[in-house]
């Protein structure tokens, strides 16, 4: 998953082009990849200089975040209480 795609999906506010969006996106990408914000900024304003392995890392993190959202939406306490 490309960094810009990851940001568009998971940064809810501010919107792309708005003040603070890039900085928040850099912070999110750094957290998702385990890299420093400075390293992520080094990929350029559109993150086009990112290493290839980042695509896999972000896809995995995207899957994890989607699962977390599903678990929040579907409270599993009823299932756990049945055991």
């Amino acid at each position: 998953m490309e960094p810009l795609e990851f940001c568009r999906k998971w940064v809810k506010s501010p919107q792309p082009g708005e003040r603070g969006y890039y900085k928040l996106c850099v912070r999110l990408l750094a957290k998702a990849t385990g890299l420093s914000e400075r390293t992520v900024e080094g990929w350029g304003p559109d993150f086009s200089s990112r290493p290839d392995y980042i695509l896999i890392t972000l896809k995995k993190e995207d899957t994890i975040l989607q699962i977390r959202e599903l678990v929040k939406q579907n409270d599993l306490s009823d299932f756990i209480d049945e055991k």
Side-chain angles (χ1 to χ4, degrees):
M1 174 175 259
E2 288 289 346
L4 285 177
E5 182 184 359
F6 187 83
C7 287
R8 279 192 296 271
K9 185 170 183 178
W10 295 108
V11 175
K12 306 300 182 194
S13 180
Q15 295 297 310
E18 292 181 348
R19 182 183 170 122
Y21 178 80
Y22 177 77
K23 188 169 186 166
L24 189 57
C25 190
V26 165
R27 198 173 300 144
L28 175 66
L29 291 169
K31 185 173 180 179
T33 61
L35 300 170
S36 72
E37 290 180 23
R38 187 177 194 139
T39 297
V40 173
E41 287 173 342
W43 299 344
D46 60 355
F47 309 111
S48 60
S49 297
R50 50 90 185 123
D52 289 340
Y53 77 90
I54 291 301
L55 303 177
I56 296 166
T57 303
L58 291 177
K59 182 60 183 163
K60 289 178 182 179
E61 186 65 22
D62 176 62
T63 301
I64 290 167
L65 291 171
Q66 286 181 62
I67 291 168
R68 286 183 179 161
E69 277 196 345
L70 287 171
V71 169
K72 279 186 209 174
Q73 292 172 2
N74 303 317
D75 185 3
L76 298 179
S77 61
D78 292 338
F79 175 76
I80 294 169
D81 291 339
E82 290 177 8
K83 288 188 173 185

